[in-house]
Amino acid sequence: MKFEKLTANEIGIRMYRVGFGDCFLISFPGHPRRHKMLVDCGSIASYKKKSIDTIVDLVIEDARAGEADGEPHIDVAVCTHRHRDHVAGFAKDGWDKVHVREVWMPWTEDPKDPEARRILHAQASLALGLVQRFASPALAGDKYTDIANSAANALLDRYEQADELVEAKTGEDAKAALRVRRALIALNALSNDEAMETLHHGLSGEPERFFLPEKEQAGSARRTRSFTTSALPGAEIHILGPSRDEDVIRDMDPPCGKSYFRAAPLEGEEPTGGWPAFGKEWLVPSQAAKSIEINFANPFTADERQRLAQMNTLDPSILAASLDSSVNGTSLMFIVGFKGKKMMFSGDAQWGTWRRALDDPEWRDLMSRSRFLKVGHHGSHNATPTEYVEEVMPDGQGNFAMISVRPYEKWPEIPRKPLLKELAKRAEIVRSDEEGADVAAPFQGDANYVDLVIPV
Amino acid sequence: MEPSYPEPTRRPLNIYAIDPQAGDAPGNKVTINVPFERLLAGPAGSVVEVIDYDQTHGESYVPVDLERLETLIDGGLPHDEGDPRFHQQMVYAVAMRVIENFSHSLGRPIRFNMSGKGYQPLRLVPHAFEQANAYFDPELHAILFGYFKASEANPGRNLPGQTVFTCLSHDIIAHEMTHAILHRLRRYFMHPSNIDAQAFHEGFADIVAIFQRLTFREVVEAHIANLRGELASSSLGDLASQFGAALGKKQALRSAIDEQPPDPTKLSRTYEAHSRGAILLAAVFDTFVRIYECRTRDLLRIATGGSGVLPEGHLHPDLVSRLTSEALKAAQSLLNMCIRAIDYLPPVDVTFSDFLRAIVTADTELVREDRIGQREMLIEAFRQRGIFPQAVLSLAPESVRYKKLSAEVAQLPREVVKEFWQALSLQRAVERERQYAGRSEEIALSVERYSSAINFDADDGLNGIRPEGAELRRDRADDDVDALKDDRDSKSQLAVSLWKFADSHRELLGLHQDLRIQVHGFHTNLRISPDELLRPEFVITYTQVMDPSTLKLDFGGMPIIGGTTVIADAEGRVQYVIAKPLPDAADKELAEYGQRRLVAQANYVAELDARDPAFSWGSADYLKNRMNHRATFRALHGQHPAHGQGEGQ
């Protein structure tokens, strides 16, 4: 597909092969020029060693296509949420030359919203804490530490170098790999300041920033639910989430506060001590311990103290997974309608956002008429509810779904096979890791992307 | 020889009725009476023992001795946040009050059982670790209370960064104790077999915490004086205020009072266990306010010359005192109603609807005449919160109540009925000894004898009647019974009789035709009704375990359990059968219900999967056993991703 060759009756959707991440460019018919929307640009692990810099160059090149002034133009740049696998590309060079009219982000990015700032701060500090812990010298004495450290550093610099470690299966490498995989998840949630700086303050053309959905405000037209914009003439946008509902916000709150994190040692670590709850005068001296224990029917045995200690450690994998989910929970979920064709982009929206959308009769109806789906969270189970697939998703000809993913053996549920199977029953689906030659019509693939043309 | 001194019946102890944050607010620093028992330093008693071991620091704190002159005279140690011995005392006192409320309402003593060791005091650990969390751990046979630093940024009325002790919150202690007792009475309620099960655990624990606090005269009186008798809008319903504020929530952890009027559709849009539990709590709290208003209407008319409209300014202290008495009465009676309902719940797969029906049924049995219509108020309050009784014809109390069987339908074996008379005489003996004897060991022995003779649960170590036997075949069950026949232990003999009864009434009891039956629990309750009549009853629970591997559905490693609660009167006539059947139950209608339950359980597993962040990143091991991971208090209370840290209590 060539963007400049698309006709006035065609919408073009391009999924870049970013590996484990998301990057989509959509081209809408227009006059005198077509209009473009970019949805995310990031990756945490590349596809066939193609770095995110290369992807960014490709995107900018495509943004130039068909423009009379030869400059790169993106009418709307969307950041669904600030996970590295969705925004890393914005930290690269070149964006200051790209003309953008509007930037859309979830409301949790609004610097003027105190609730948004609170959530962001909580997520970022937990992520930072986790990454520091995974690559911490406090783990000294552990012979795998060096490997883990260098791998984590490698992750921070160049993801590609870590790839082999992430996949390592045996021996010392395997143990380090476990730690790296955890770091990878946590790292994803770091505040990604450089990339966010571009979205918030960078880009050319002084784009207007919108934090969606906006709060109701009497007397002014706000983008609370559905709206149109001169940046994308002919398109109608519906913002399905994230809701500002208390329950949804709770899911955005990371699992543990800082104090909790400081005190509770991670698996394999010694407790750090913390501060004493009471002064020394309240402690039972060790020589008196026996005379006190005698009072109890069941003083704690050594085994039981062990269990207690174990319960007092955090499972870093669960912590990292929860953090991941909280950030995904901020995902902007929206539907774009153009000449009756509706396309749904769900970011990595999680259960809470989906639940609210499915419970809303208007959104439910819209979803049932959306014939394109950007499958959330690389095809994992919790970003596409069964209820949506079985009860809401339209059936029949002319449905399409795109999945941007690169599988890891150790994460057997990404993408989730039963979900893909169910999706395939209802839509033509394609994955970004399918070899160019394997991509079946109506999709077209080459080394860098998978394309879809939707006639309108 | 010198004549002995009569044993005291009560021991006064100082506690915070709310928490240290409430400081000198009226009604916060109170003294409550708990049943007297001899205590060793800890305090170490016969039902609970406080072990102050701090895992984070690997240290123990000096235990309080409540038998010293200094502590006996003045309600134990005075209120002091900085003295760990006061913390130990408060944990003990609040825990004992919860136990007393349960044993009083249920009409039998509450004892805890430690796996493999029989009756053992429950361990309470006031400073277990540095965490903003507290939970009951059945395996450790302990409740672990954490402590943590208050939020630096947003600590509410706490000092930024000050240490907050979960063991100094009345509500948190009572909440965790309730979890422990409920787990003792209905072990399978922790199984997330439907959306209500774990929510019930949470909501019920909140109900006991809030309503126990509402039985403290000083707390209620202060509120009534302040709010001129108005309860509906007070902070009385706030749960764990300091804890919530310390986490930066700007408010109590949860509140029994949310929006008014309530939105009946909210329940259907609420999925998380604590949030659903809060709706249950709100429904009971609404009932409380209704009962209070109904009981005080006449008082207000008397006080206002018939208008019922209060003049401006403060209320007369006498009126405050009378209003308080009515509020206390309402709170205690509602608390009792809720606790009594536990015996009328099925042994597995509980729902809010079951709870509503159980309250109404149990209350009707004890309180025949409902003069002010409390039961109707309850049903109405539940309806307004979207909690409807299932499988009933209408919302009239007669219809919400479980169907009572006619007298001749089934009769418990004679040897079981005999237990009642034994219970009665043993209880008399205990009372006699309490009154006249001075030596506590003897009393302890009698209590032991009394409670173990007439009560047992499946985890009490009966031969063969194992709760989770691997063998599910019926022939194997018969072997067990044979083995028991040789056992001279009276409990085992009783279990055999009860098993035989169930085996010959499978259809009536909604039990599966072939699967092995476990006698899960047997209790004899001796309660006194408000009209001073003794209302004894037998409560027997049976369970059956089905192997999920034969089914095509994915249960995430959770077993499929069916079960039935049987209630019989003192003569052994079966009055109620409350069943959660399995598919292929002997009765056709019940079998269909069983099938529906099974599908619902599988759907619920899928629903939890959808919300579980660990699912995507999980290993094959986790996935296979994920439902068992979710079935722990720790997961429910702390780390569980979906809830957020500190949502636990």
Side-chain angles (χ1 to χ4, degrees):
Chain A
M1 171 180 95
K2 284 208 179 315
F3 279 105
E4 54 271 32
K5 298 264 171 73
L6 289 168
T7 72
N9 298 320
E10 288 173 334
I11 295 173
I13 301 178
R14 169 160 293 176
M15 167 167 68
Y16 294 87
R17 299 190 191 260
V18 293
F20 202 96
D22 261 19
C23 184
F24 291 81
L25 189 65
I26 302 99
S27 166
F28 296 96
H31 192 76
R33 54 179 284 277
R34 299 181 64 88
H35 298 91
K36 300 186 199 102
M37 177 166 78
L38 175 69
V39 181
D40 292 335
C41 182
S43 166
I44 48 167
S46 62
Y47 172 74
K48 296 199 169 168
K49 315 247 175 214
K50 199 181 310 295
S51 78
I52 190 73
D53 305 65
T54 319
I55 302 286
V56 170
D57 292 344
L58 289 170
V59 172
I60 295 179
E61 207 39 52
D62 288 337
R64 241 183 263 278
E67 301 292 352
D69 58 4
E71 297 277 311
H73 287 267
I74 287 173
D75 297 277
V76 175
V78 185
C79 155
T80 60
H81 61 298
R82 63 159 66 208
H83 256 151
R84 200 171 187 109
D85 59 341
H86 290 251
V87 300
F90 292 109
K92 304 297 170 191
D93 295 336
W95 293 103
D96 53 342
K97 307 282 182 322
V98 181
H99 302 275
V100 177
R101 295 185 60 191
E102 290 187 4
V103 179
W104 300 351
M105 289 178 258
W107 68 265
T108 48
E109 287 299 329
D110 186 351
K112 293 195 187 101
D113 185 322
E115 181 79 337
R117 294 188 64 87
R118 188 187 64 73
I119 293 169
L120 202 65
H121 176 75
Q123 291 178 344
S125 53
L126 179 60
L128 189 64
L130 264 175
V131 172
Q132 280 168 353
R133 280 318 245 311
F134 288 129
S136 144
L139 296 168
D142 175 342
K143 58 181 170 174
Y144 310 112
T145 303
D146 288 346
I147 306 172
N149 270 344
S150 56
N153 287 332
L155 278 168
L156 283 163
D157 297 337
R158 299 276 301 274
Y159 290 90
E160 301 79 67
Q161 290 170 17
D163 279 2
E164 283 132 44
L165 269 169
V166 173
E167 294 286 23
K169 284 168 210 157
T170 54
E172 303 212 343
D173 278 359
K175 204 144 186 207
L178 174 67
R179 199 166 282 156
V180 175
R181 276 197 302 278
R182 291 166 178 170
L184 199 61
I185 302 173
L187 207 57
N188 197 22
L190 279 176
S191 48
N192 294 309
D193 289 335
E194 263 180 86
M196 295 317 288
E197 175 68 19
T198 303
L199 288 160
H200 278 280
H201 305 288
L203 304 167
S204 176
E206 293 177 4
E208 201 176 345
R209 266 91 188 175
F210 293 92
F211 306 100
L212 304 170
E214 294 181 315
K215 268 188 193 157
E216 206 86 52
Q217 206 177 64
S220 76
R222 306 275 286 173
R223 297 180 169 183
T224 53
R225 280 176 75 89
S226 302
F227 62 91
T228 55
T229 166
S230 61
L232 286 181
E236 187 168 77
I237 324 296
H238 312 275
I239 304 296
L240 280 61
S243 131
R244 289 167 187 269
D245 202 286
E246 214 176 288
D247 284 2
V248 175
I249 288 176
R250 178 168 45 204
D251 287 349
M252 297 174 184
D253 265 325
C256 311
K258 255 196 304 187
S259 72
Y260 188 60
F261 191 63
R262 182 185 57 237
L266 294 179
E267 191 184 89
E269 279 182 324
E270 289 300 315
T272 51
W275 83 101
F278 301 99
K280 276 207 159 44
E281 66 275 25
W282 296 113
L283 300 182
V284 174
S286 50
Q287 63 271 23
K290 279 272 171 287
S291 68
I292 285 169
E293 282 196 351
I294 217 164
N295 292 341
F296 299 119
N298 296 290
F300 286 110
T301 62
D303 280 357
E304 288 172 335
R305 285 179 185 215
Q306 197 58 43
R307 176 174 165 81
L308 203 55
Q310 218 162 41
M311 290 167 69
N312 194 17
T313 38
L314 295 169
D315 178 341
S317 305
I318 289 192
L319 207 55
S322 328
L323 174 64
D324 181 72
S325 165
S326 350
V327 178
N328 284 339
T330 66
S331 283
L332 187 65
M333 178 167 163
F334 62 99
I335 289 176
V336 186
F338 194 92
K339 288 196 183 168
K341 282 277 162 30
K342 292 180 176 42
M343 294 159 279
M344 175 148 80
F345 293 85
S346 62
D348 285 352
Q350 302 283 295
W351 186 84
T353 296
W354 274 100
R355 191 65 260 162
R356 287 300 171 286
L358 286 166
D359 285 345
D360 184 315
E362 191 189 340
W363 293 159
R364 203 177 167 101
D365 173 58
L366 268 180
M367 284 192 256
S368 75
R369 293 186 285 124
S370 294
R371 299 202 170 266
F372 170 86
L373 173 70
K374 194 292 291 186
V375 178
H377 202 226
H378 326 292
S380 86
H381 83 293
N382 52 4
T384 313
T386 318
E387 181 180 335
Y388 162 76
V389 178
E390 287 181 354
E391 295 172 26
V392 181
M393 202 175 165
D395 245 336
Q397 287 288 308
N399 295 328
F400 309 99
M402 286 178 132
I403 304 150
S404 185
V405 68
R406 166 203 154 149
Y408 280 107
E409 197 182 320
K410 293 292 164 72
W411 295 329
E413 292 301 327
I414 303 180
R416 181 155 163 85
K417 317 289 170 310
L419 172 64
L420 298 192
K421 217 170 121 192
E422 286 302 311
L423 285 173
K425 285 186 198 161
R426 294 164 179 85
E428 311 268 1
I429 68 171
V430 70
R431 294 168 53 157
S432 66
D433 60 338
E434 284 174 38
E435 292 288 335
D438 294 347
V439 170
F443 302 102
Q444 309 149 26
D446 80 4
N448 296 324
Y449 22 68
V450 178
D451 292 333
L452 172 68
V453 175
I454 299 181
V456 289
Chain B
M1 206 176 96
E2 206 186 334
S4 65
Y5 289 91
E7 196 87 343
T9 52
R10 315 290 292 169
R11 180 196 293 271
L13 288 172
N14 300 320
I15 64 160
Y16 291 115
I18 304 164
D19 52 38
Q21 180 190 255
D24 284 323
N28 186 33
K29 292 180 177 173
V30 301
T31 309
I32 60 169
N33 286 312
V34 299
F36 180 85
E37 61 174 337
R38 294 280 165 149
L39 292 172
L40 295 169
S46 58
V47 195
V48 295
E49 56 186 17
V50 180
I51 304 183
D52 207 349
Y53 171 67
D54 182 336
Q55 195 281 321
T56 300
H57 298 276
E59 300 278 2
S60 293
Y61 302 110
V62 174
V64 64
D65 182 354
L66 292 177
E67 305 270 299
R68 292 167 66 103
L69 183 64
E70 297 90 325
T71 50
L72 279 170
I73 299 287
D74 212 10
L77 289 167
H79 303 88
D80 186 352
E81 251 183 293
D83 185 342
R85 297 173 304 175
F86 170 73
H87 299 203
Q88 298 151 5
Q89 161 184 317
M90 173 161 166
V91 168
Y92 170 78
V94 175
M96 288 304 285
R97 179 52 82 88
V98 176
I99 288 168
E100 189 181 22
N101 270 319
F102 271 87
S103 50
H104 175 251
S105 300
L106 293 176
R108 61 172 190 268
I110 297 291
R111 307 297 307 268
F112 294 97
N113 187 296
M114 194 167 172
S115 167
K117 294 181 106 178
Y119 293 128
Q120 295 294 334
L122 181 69
R123 298 186 281 194
L124 308 177
V125 190
H127 311 101
F129 34 57
E130 196 187 314
Q131 274 186 30
N133 204 359
Y135 52 87
F136 163 58
D137 185 51
E139 252 182 83
L140 264 185
H141 193 56
I143 296 176
L144 310 168
F145 297 92
Y147 58 93
F148 64 105
K149 287 204 170 182
S151 161
E152 296 276 355
N154 204 348
R157 277 170 55 198
N158 297 294
L159 199 64
Q162 95 171 70
T163 307
V164 174
F165 298 98
T166 58
C167 74
L168 287 184
S169 160
H170 167 273
D171 300 341
I172 293 179
I173 305 169
H175 179 105
E176 298 308 327
M177 273 307 289
T178 306
H179 274 313
I181 296 173
L182 185 57
H183 190 65
R184 167 77 175 139
L185 300 172
R186 289 287 185 275
R187 179 194 353 194
Y188 292 130
F189 282 10
M190 262 314 280
H191 282 226
S193 54
N194 70 61
I195 192 167
D196 280 350
Q198 290 190 331
F200 175 73
H201 237 293
E202 291 302 331
F204 185 70
D206 281 354
I207 289 168
V208 173
I210 291 274
F211 282 92
Q212 170 160 303
R213 183 146 52 78
L214 290 179
T215 63
F216 299 154
R217 184 164 198 104
E218 296 91 327
V219 179
V220 179
E221 201 158 43
H223 275 270
I224 287 183
N226 264 342
L227 294 162
R228 296 168 18 95
E230 190 63 48
L231 287 185
S233 59
S234 72
S235 61
L236 274 180
D238 283 356
L239 190 98
S241 312
Q242 180 185 28
F243 185 78
L247 291 175
K249 282 182 189 295
K250 297 188 203 131
Q251 55 185 19
L253 185 61
R254 284 187 285 285
S255 178
I257 305 165
D258 56 356
E259 76 277 347
Q260 289 288 350
D263 174 2
T265 65
K266 189 177 170 191
L267 185 68
S268 64
R269 289 179 281 110
T270 306
Y271 305 88
E272 195 273 325
H274 295 87
S275 307
R276 281 184 80 84
I279 295 176
L280 187 67
L281 168 65
V284 177
F285 198 87
D286 287 350
T287 315
F288 164 67
V289 173
R290 278 160 200 255
I291 295 175
Y292 167 78
E293 285 172 355
C294 177
R295 282 188 169 186
T296 53
R297 220 164 279 149
D298 57 343
L299 277 174
L300 293 179
R301 280 195 298 265
I302 296 167
T304 56
S307 76
V309 183
L310 290 167
E312 294 284 307
H314 293 292
L315 296 188
H316 193 284
D318 288 350
L319 182 59
V320 171
S321 164
R322 287 287 291 106
L323 290 175
T324 303
S325 300
E326 292 303 329
L328 294 175
K329 235 185 276 175
Q332 187 73 57
S333 109
L334 209 48
L335 177 60
N336 294 348
M337 276 168 89
C338 289
I339 295 176
R340 274 201 305 267
I342 299 298
D343 271 345
Y344 283 69
L345 290 175
V348 292
D349 202 28
V350 67
T351 64
F352 288 178
S353 153
D354 296 335
F355 184 50
L356 173 59
R357 299 194 66 186
I359 300 178
V360 174
T361 312
D363 193 60
T364 312
E365 278 303 306
L366 190 68
V367 187
R368 298 282 148 92
E369 198 187 350
D370 184 8
R371 286 195 192 86
I372 60 164
Q374 294 200 60
R375 296 194 277 268
E376 269 152 70
M377 292 186 219
L378 181 94
I379 294 167
E380 175 59 13
F382 274 56
R383 184 194 67 78
Q384 290 196 0
R385 298 278 171 182
I387 305 171
F388 296 98
Q390 302 298 311
V392 303
L393 293 173
S394 77
L395 287 177
E398 310 79 70
S399 167
V400 172
R401 210 174 82 189
Y402 281 111
K403 195 171 149 265
K404 195 166 185 169
L405 302 181
S406 55
E408 59 278 5
V409 171
Q411 172 82 37
L412 292 183
R414 193 190 301 263
E415 57 273 27
V416 175
V417 179
K418 212 177 64 194
E419 290 297 317
F420 160 64
W421 301 105
Q422 200 188 344
L424 198 60
S425 64
L426 273 166
Q427 197 199 35
R428 285 267 163 80
V430 172
E431 279 165 8
R432 241 193 341 267
E433 278 174 76
R434 249 193 208 295
Q435 257 170 327
Y436 302 112
R439 290 194 301 281
S440 58
E441 309 86 74
E442 271 178 37
I443 295 183
L445 201 71
S446 312
V447 171
E448 183 75 50
R449 221 161 55 216
Y450 159 58
S451 58
S452 60
I454 57 159
N455 291 294
F456 66 78
D457 286 285
D459 49 1
D460 286 352
L462 290 182
N463 286 336
I465 314 276
R466 287 182 304 270
E468 269 145 351
E471 299 288 333
L472 303 175
R473 300 193 319 273
R474 185 162 175 191
D475 51 343
R476 174 80 187 110
D478 290 333
D479 288 348
D480 283 347
V481 171
D482 282 341
L484 283 175
K485 275 183 193 145
D486 301 330
D487 193 329
R488 304 215 161 207
D489 181 10
S490 64
K491 268 196 278 186
S492 302
Q493 297 307 320
L494 196 58
V496 172
S497 306
L498 291 168
W499 183 87
K500 281 186 177 156
F501 170 76
D503 191 40
S504 54
H505 290 85
R506 282 179 188 252
E507 191 168 335
L508 174 73
L509 302 188
L511 295 168
H512 191 281
Q513 278 299 16
D514 306 313
L515 287 179
R516 175 179 158 181
I517 301 166
Q518 290 151 2
V519 183
H520 195 69
F522 171 69
H523 298 286
T524 313
N525 299 334
L526 299 175
R527 291 198 277 243
I528 311 286
S529 72
D531 45 2
E532 303 284 315
L533 290 174
L534 185 61
R535 297 249 190 251
E537 69 191 4
F538 294 108
V539 181
I540 307 142
T541 47
Y542 297 104
T543 53
Q544 290 180 302
V545 182
M546 199 169 171
D547 181 2
S549 62
T550 60
L551 301 161
K552 278 197 177 143
L553 301 162
D554 179 4
F555 294 94
M558 182 168 52
I560 311 301
I561 305 171
T564 301
T565 296
V566 176
I567 311 273
D569 68 9
E571 279 142 274
R573 290 176 300 213
V574 173
Q575 308 215 288
Y576 297 99
V577 170
I578 299 152
K580 290 276 166 165
L582 292 170
D584 307 320
D587 180 276
K588 190 163 166 272
E589 208 174 301
L590 288 172
E592 278 167 22
Y593 178 31
Q595 187 59 39
R596 284 200 303 276
R597 252 178 17 91
L598 207 68
V599 173
Q601 184 171 334
N603 286 342
Y604 187 55
V605 172
E607 210 174 288
L608 287 180
D609 287 347
R611 292 156 52 191
D612 180 2
F615 192 90
S616 299
W617 311 104
S619 62
D621 256 5
Y622 172 78
L623 295 175
K624 208 172 129 199
N625 238 330
R626 61 192 189 278
M627 284 312 276
N628 295 318
H629 286 285
R630 293 169 188 159
T632 65
F633 288 97
R634 183 169 178 241
L636 186 60
H637 265 203
Q639 244 189 23
H640 195 288
H643 306 149
Q645 176 57 31
E647 286 296 314
Q649 294 61 31

